[in-house]
Amino acid sequence: MTLPAANAAAVSQTLLPAELAAMPLALTLVESSSTVVLRQQAARLLQSHLGLALAECLYIEGSGRWLGRDSDNVQFDCADFNHPYAHVIRSGKPLTLSVADARIRLDHPGFQAQLAPLTATSQLHIRPLRAVDGQREWLGALLLVGQAATLTALIDNPGMAAYEALLCRLWSRLAREQGERQRSQVLQDSLTKLNDGARRQALADQLADDLLGQSVAMQALRRHVIRAAETNLAVLLQGETGTGKDRVARAIHQFSGRAKEPFMAINCAAIPEALLESELFGHAKGAFSGADHARAGLISQAHGGTLFLDEIGDMPLALQAKLLRVLESGRYRPLGASEERCADLRLVAATHQPLRERIKQQHFRADLYYRLGQFPITLPALSERQDDIAQLAQAFITDFCEREGRAEMGITPAALRQLYRREYPGNVRELKNIVDYACAMTPEGADIDAYVLPGEQQETAGQPVVSTAEPVALALSDDIDDLRQALRDLESAIIRQRLQRFGGNRAQAAESLGLPKRTLAHKCQLLELDIK
């Protein structure tokens, strides 16, 4: 029922209480699911049932500084008296003024935009809204626009007061419920993140048996591997040679949702260019000379699983374009085939080359680089994780003994000090080769000692380092500036060579040098050879 504009007294005494007290109207408000819906419903009911030109509920946001509207992003500063809402909030009292006066006296842009569609003969009535229980916190303001007689009838009407009280009570209750839900959701999100973090950490700890090391760099790498495994993004592994990119690729597959499907790997630098395309895409029978039967490529064999392309920086440009199409469309065509096939796989690529430099040199496609690098992982060099050398060395020793059927052996502190002092351009792979050699040179029942470690293969500070695997060659040099140190180095090299000659038999080495065994042991202790 629409309220007529005339006869305000009759409206006040008859229609208004009945309309505002009607059960359907109250139920409409009570059934509101949120404060936003409540404000919109309350304004719509007032506007439609009372014949108002406009009705709107504005809300005070959390800080208490701004009044906001649900219909747009306009906000009104509660301390800015260029709009009437500040007067109402500050005084706590209703305010009535004509649209014509408001246009002249108040110049707030947002408020003037509200007035723009209204007629100059209309009046504004703004009422402050506060919670009726608790600390009576501010909720917002109610804007009513209509003819003067209609608004006058509403001001002191008990039905309007009841409607306003119901609105404020429901608003306050919904705000508390929403706040509790938000707090509950925040708590739930925090618990979820905590549980996810604990789950990922547990998985990363499982990886520690395969990706060895407790250094900060390795712990971070294992976490990255777990996060990568949770996605289907293409992974680009970058790092120096010998850092374990193959192991990381297999770990990503092992902890992914594709773990039960195939893991196929190929080294792009190890296959001739003419054969690489056939290896990847396969070929149909008769596709080229010698193709006597059809052959599935690695892309087909890796369907549902993971394809690992090692040294992808060496892939020919023409093949890079075909690989990019597979990644973008999920389709490929074997050599000589007439129909395309689908490729459902996860790609992990690896390289030790600086691909950005390869792009500048036009040896690598930029679009493929960005497609491969959806989840980039950089593997740390051994120089960044020296704390892991002892654990790695012992693991390599254990692996050697199991592989070669040797009794368990350890490694002396002197040998470890030698390993810590070395440089490893070949990283973990070089360390493994050194330990394997030392294991092979160590007598049964003994621990790896410093004298069995192979010498450095590089020059240090411009001077060649004597290899203990070769006879000691003496040469006079004008570069010697510390005779004592030179003699100490020479003595150390001679003892190392002699121990190696006699397979670590210290008694025979001492006899061959014309020294008592105790003297040799003392010299080895001074030279950090750990001879006992």
Side-chain angles (χ1 to χ4, degrees), residues 69 107 118 130 157 168 188 192 270 284 337-338 345 369 380 439 442 492 520 529:
R69 301 176 64 194
D107 58 1
L118 304 177
R130 301 185 71 168
N157 190 278
C168 291
Q188 184 63 41
T192 300
S338 58
L345 54 83
Y369 170 74
C439 288
T442 299
S492 175
L520 178 63
L529 298 179

Side-chain angles (χ1 to χ4, degrees), residues 384-446:
E384 300 174 40
R385 44 179 298 215
Q386 283 194 324
D387 293 345
D388 296 332
I389 287 178
Q391 182 183 0
L392 289 168
Q394 189 57 60
F396 296 149
I397 293 170
T398 301
D399 179 66
F400 177 89
C401 293
E402 292 177 354
R403 190 174 65 248
E404 300 293 332
R406 292 277 299 272
E408 292 184 7
M409 67 177 75
I411 184 168
T412 66
L416 274 178
R417 286 193 292 270
Q418 290 282 351
L419 292 179
Y420 278 117
R421 284 198 290 261
R422 297 177 71 107
E423 294 183 359
Y424 296 92
N427 292 291
V428 178
R429 183 184 294 121
E430 181 179 353
L431 175 62
K432 183 179 187 304
N433 292 340
I434 290 171
V435 172
D436 283 349
Y437 174 85
C439 288
M441 296 299 296
T442 299
E444 287 282 353

Side-chain angles (χ1 to χ4, degrees), residues 125-353:
H125 180 63
I126 305 171
R127 303 173 70 91
L129 299 177
R130 301 185 71 168
V132 296
D133 54 0
Q135 299 180 355
R136 294 183 57 81
E137 74 272 14
W138 283 106
L139 298 174
L142 177 63
L143 169 65
L144 304 175
V145 180
Q147 296 302 312
T150 303
L151 296 179
T152 300
L154 291 176
I155 292 175
D156 296 321
N157 190 278
M160 181 63 194
Y163 186 83
E164 182 179 312
L166 176 62
L167 169 62
C168 291
R169 189 177 296 276
L170 293 174
W171 188 341
S172 180
R173 189 197 70 191
L174 284 173
R176 286 195 300 271
E177 291 177 353
Q178 286 178 207
E180 291 173 359
R181 284 197 297 270
Q182 289 173 354
R183 287 190 293 273
S184 176
Q185 187 61 50
V186 168
L187 178 60
Q188 184 63 41
D189 291 344
S190 298
L191 290 174
T192 300
K193 289 179 180 178
L194 183 62
N195 291 335
D196 284 346
R199 178 181 58 81
R200 291 190 181 111
Q201 187 59 53
L203 293 174
D205 291 342
Q206 293 180 35
L207 259 179
D209 293 334
D210 193 42
L211 300 180
L212 299 175
Q214 295 304 317
S215 61
V216 174
M218 283 305 295
Q219 292 183 41
L221 174 62
R222 289 194 289 266
R223 289 195 295 269
H224 277 92
V225 167
I226 295 302
R227 294 303 293 267
E230 293 176 342
T231 74
N232 274 311
L233 299 176
V235 178
L236 179 60
L237 305 176
Q238 293 180 287
E240 298 178 8
T241 182
T243 50
K245 294 184 281 290
D246 178 80
R247 280 181 172 268
V248 170
R250 291 180 183 276
I252 291 172
H253 173 73
Q254 176 188 351
F255 284 86
S256 73
R258 300 174 178 265
K260 295 182 179 179
E261 303 301 329
F263 175 87
M264 307 304 298
I266 187 172
N267 188 319
C268 299
I271 307 242
E273 181 177 343
L275 298 178
L276 185 56
E277 182 175 1
S278 176
E279 287 291 322
L280 282 175
F281 293 89
H283 61 258
K285 181 179 179 181
F288 51 83
S289 178
D292 298 330
H293 57 275
R295 182 175 182 274
L298 292 178
I299 291 177
S300 174
Q301 295 176 50
H303 186 77
T306 302
L307 176 62
F308 174 47
L309 300 180
D310 199 4
E311 298 301 346
I312 196 169
D314 292 303
M315 178 177 283
L317 280 169
L319 201 52
Q320 291 178 28
K322 293 184 178 181
L323 177 62
L324 178 63
R325 185 173 184 274
V326 174
L327 294 176
E328 291 182 339
S329 67
R331 304 187 69 81
Y332 71 100
R333 189 194 304 271
L335 287 173
S338 58
E339 296 181 353
E340 288 189 333
R341 300 179 184 178
C342 293
D344 174 23
L345 54 83
R346 204 277 183 71
L347 185 69
V348 180
T351 181
H352 73 280
Q353 300 187 32

Side-chain angles (χ1 to χ4, degrees), residues 236 356 359 364-375:
L236 179 60
R356 290 184 180 275
I359 291 171
F364 202 84
R365 295 179 61 104
D367 48 5
L368 178 59
Y369 170 74
Y370 294 116
R371 186 62 178 78
L372 290 173
Q374 291 179 323
F375 201 116

